[in-house]
Amino acid sequence: MEETGLKRLVVETTSLCNLSCKMCVKNTFANGACSADGSMSEEMFLRMEDSFASLESLVLNGVGEPLLNPSLVKFIARAAAKMPSHAQIGFQTNGTLFDADITNNIIDAGANTICLSVDSLNEEFLINARGVGIATLEKALVNLNNARDRSGRKNVRLGIEVVLMKDNFMELPLIAQWAINNGVSFILVSQLMPYSRLSANDIAYDTNTQSAIAIYKKWIQKAETEKLDFERYYAAFMRFDVRSDEKNLRLLNLAKGMMAEADSEGVYLHVENLLKRDEEYLSRVKDVLTRTEALCNKHGVKLTVPEIAPRNTRRCEFVEENTLFVSYDGQVSPCYFLWHRFNCYIGAVENRVVPWLIGSLQESTIEEIWRGEAYQKFRKEVLKYSFPFCFDCSFALCDYVSEENFQQDCYLVEVPCATCLWCTGLFHCLY
C-alpha cells in the first residue's frame, strides 16, 4: 500500500473514568493499572495541530471518559477550525455526563460523531457491569438529539457500541431497535477482549480461523460418512496398540488426511480447540447478527458487525488507513492493540501486551513521528503480513510472543502482531 500521509488520529484526552466497568482493562489488569491516570494538556494537544488540515478522522478517547477532561470542548473547537469540513471529529463515551449544557457545547464546538457504550437493556445487567442504568443512557441520547436539532447541523451522527458476550448477545436485536427509536444512525458491534481469566468464558466467538474451521468441518463429515467418531481422535492417537484396532487406524488416517490438506493450503489446525467448538452456540450468535443486520437495513442504520471466527486474510485497518494513537501523556503508538499495557486471555491462554512506542509528543511533532524511522519500519513490516497466527498453533502461546520482552516471533518477524485479533475482524471501535 502506498503511504500518502497521516489520515487518522486516535487521541486519549484522559485515562480517568467515573465508572468501574467489570470488562474494562482499567479494572482487570492483573498487575495494577494499565497506565498511570492523567489528562492531556492543551499544550500537548497543540503538538498535533500541524496534522489537522489533512486528517479524515480525529477520535478523542482512550481508556478513560473523554468528558472528564475540562479542555475537551477547546480541543474539539481547535481541531474543527483546521480540519476539512467532511472530516469526522468525535469520541466514544459512557454517556453519564451529558447534561444539556455540555452536550450543546460539544456539538457547537464542532463534534459530529458521538458513540455511547450500551451493552444491555437489562437494568440488573447494566448496574452490575457498569454501575449505570438505562435511564441515564436514554437521557444522554435525548440531550444529544436536542443539541443536534438545535444546531441545525445535518452531519452530526449519533451511535452506540455493543460488546457481545454470552450474557447479552441474544439482546442485540432489542438493543438495536431501542437505539433506532432513540435516533441513532450507526451501531458498532464488537466481540469481547477478555482482560481476565474469568471473562475468557464470556466470549461469543471462536478462536479457530475460518479456514481451519472449514477444513475441519469437511473432514468431520467424511468421518460421519465412514461412521467414525472424530471426537475419539486423541484417545485413538494415544493408544500404544493403535494399529491393532482397525477403526482407530482409519480414524488416524482420516486425521492425517485432514492435516495434509491444511498443510497444503498453509492453514494450521489446533485440533484440541477444534474438537471443543460449540457449533450450536456459535450458530445462535450468527443468527442474532443476521437478524440485527436485517433490522438495521430496514431502518437505514449503518451496522458494523464482528466476525464470529478470525479471518485468515488479515488486514490491519490502523496501518492500512494511516492512523496513529496518542496517549494522554504524549506517547505515540501505531495501533489499538499495542497502545496500552494489559493482559488478555483469548483461548484461555495468557498474553502479556506492552505498549509499542514509536515516539513522544514531548520530543517531536506528530508529523515528525509519522515520518520517523521507528514508525515507517513498523509499518513496512506489518504490511508484509508475514507473521504467524498464534491461536491456530498447538503450542500457543509460546515464550516468543506471550512475554512482555518481545523481540521476534517464531517466523523471526520483529513486530508483535501474531497474537493480535484486531486484524481478523473480531473487534471494532469508533475509529
Side-chain angles (χ1 to χ4, degrees):
M1 175 185 169
E2 183 181 354
E3 184 266 294
T4 57
L6 180 62
K7 294 297 181 184
R8 295 174 177 267
L9 274 175
V10 182
V11 178
E12 183 178 66
T13 54
T14 184
S15 64
L16 299 168
C17 192
N18 59 324
L19 298 182
S20 297
C21 302
K22 288 187 175 182
M23 72 286 288
C24 178
V25 63
K26 286 176 63 67
N27 303 308
T28 55
F29 188 57
N31 300 318
C34 62
S35 67
D37 278 333
S39 296
M40 180 170 284
S41 66
E42 293 181 38
E43 178 185 6
M44 190 70 72
F45 186 78
L46 293 179
R47 298 284 293 179
M48 297 175 279
E49 192 170 38
D50 289 347
S51 68
F52 289 167
S54 63
L55 289 184
E56 296 175 357
S57 175
L58 176 65
V59 174
L60 297 168
N61 60 261
V63 299
E65 169 51 48
L67 289 168
L68 289 176
N69 188 318
S71 298
L72 181 63
V73 173
K74 290 182 182 179
F75 292 168
I76 293 169
R78 190 85 180 199
K82 293 182 174 290
M83 289 175 64
S85 59
H86 68 272
Q88 170 181 271
I89 305 175
F91 55 91
Q92 187 165 327
T93 169
N94 60 40
T96 60
L97 302 176
F98 275 118
D99 62 33
D101 289 339
I102 189 61
T103 307
N104 287 331
N105 292 340
I106 290 290
I107 299 300
D108 290 346
N112 57 26
T113 307
I114 309 294
C115 183
L116 272 64
S117 296
V118 183
D119 295 327
S120 178
L121 302 181
N122 182 289
E123 192 77 2
E124 182 179 354
F125 181 97
L126 282 174
I127 295 295
N128 182 54
R130 294 191 178 274
V132 60
I134 195 66
T136 300
L137 300 174
E138 289 178 340
K139 181 180 178 181
L141 283 171
V142 167
N143 286 333
L144 284 164
N145 276 294
N146 289 341
R148 177 185 59 187
D149 295 344
R150 184 193 58 81
S151 72
R153 292 171 54 209
K154 298 186 181 298
N155 68 332
V156 176
R157 301 187 310 136
L158 307 180
I160 66 167
E161 180 184 25
V162 184
V163 177
L164 281 191
M165 296 169 269
K166 276 187 176 180
D167 290 341
N168 74 343
F169 80 91
M170 290 296 293
E171 274 194 87
L172 186 60
L174 296 176
I175 296 171
Q177 186 63 65
W178 172 88
I180 292 165
N181 295 344
N182 281 277
V184 308
S185 60
F186 69 92
I187 299 173
L188 297 172
V189 184
S190 177
Q191 298 286 5
L192 173 71
M193 174 71 84
Y195 293 116
S196 69
R197 292 186 187 279
L198 188 61
S199 62
N201 298 319
D202 296 332
I203 64 171
Y205 56 93
D206 196 333
T207 59
N208 299 288
T209 59
Q210 294 173 5
S211 295
I213 294 168
I215 292 171
Y216 174 71
K217 284 185 173 181
K218 172 183 173 181
W219 286 83
I220 281 289
Q221 289 179 348
K222 286 187 177 183
E224 290 175 351
T225 300
E226 296 184 27
K227 296 185 173 13
L228 296 173
D229 182 3
F230 211 94
E231 291 188 2
R232 293 194 65 255
Y233 165 71
Y234 274 107
F237 177 72
M238 296 302 293
R239 283 194 58 163
F240 178 75
D241 59 343
V242 61
R243 295 187 179 278
S244 65
D245 187 311
E246 184 266 341
K247 207 166 198 178
N248 282 344
L249 187 58
R250 285 168 52 210
L251 180 58
L252 289 179
N253 287 334
L254 199 74
K256 287 179 181 178
M258 178 181 72
M259 293 172 187
E261 179 177 334
D263 185 58
S264 70
E265 296 184 14
V267 175
Y268 287 91
L269 301 181
H270 193 307
V271 178
E272 182 179 2
N273 283 350
L274 286 165
L275 288 169
K276 291 178 181 177
R277 295 186 73 246
D278 189 338
E279 186 69 42
E280 181 182 353
Y281 169 58
L282 293 169
S283 295
R284 287 165 58 208
V285 175
K286 183 177 181 180
D287 176 67
V288 166
L289 291 175
T290 300
R291 289 191 284 119
T292 306
E293 284 181 309
L295 175 65
C296 289
N297 287 338
K298 176 181 177 182
H299 291 277
V301 169
K302 182 180 179 181
L303 175 70
T304 302
V305 297
E307 302 288 347
I308 58 173
R311 294 189 306 256
N312 285 76
T313 304
R314 292 172 291 189
R315 180 180 184 273
C316 177
E317 59 183 339
F318 309 124
V319 170
E320 297 268 7
E321 297 181 21
N322 298 18
T323 310
L324 291 181
F325 289 72
V326 185
S327 297
Y328 75 88
D329 57 1
Q331 300 298 315
V332 182
S333 297
C335 64
Y336 202 105
F337 180 64
L338 300 173
W339 195 9
H340 295 97
R341 177 186 297 273
F342 63 89
N343 295 351
C344 61
Y345 298 86
I346 296 169
V349 292
E350 182 180 51
N351 185 24
R352 300 175 185 177
V353 181
V354 297
W356 189 273
L357 302 179
I358 56 171
S360 171
L361 293 180
Q362 299 176 33
E363 302 169 356
S364 310
T365 67
I366 197 71
E367 284 293 334
E368 289 170 340
I369 294 170
W370 168 259
R371 301 288 178 190
E373 181 181 356
Y375 177 68
Q376 292 303 319
K377 180 181 179 181
F378 179 90
R379 176 187 177 86
K380 182 179 180 181
E381 197 67 46
V382 169
L383 290 175
K384 294 177 184 177
Y385 294 111
S386 57
F387 42 86
F389 180 79
C390 286
F391 295 101
D392 272 352
C393 174
S394 57
F395 293 104
L397 289 176
C398 67
D399 291 344
Y400 274 116
V401 296
S402 63
E403 301 300 321
E404 292 187 356
N405 60 338
F406 174 88
Q407 296 181 31
Q408 62 187 24
D409 60 35
C410 61
Y411 287 11
L412 307 185
V413 176
E414 296 179 356
V415 291
C417 303
T419 60
C420 175
L421 293 181
W422 283 89
C423 61
T424 67
L426 291 180
F427 305 126
H428 297 294
C429 61
L430 183 64
Y431 169 68

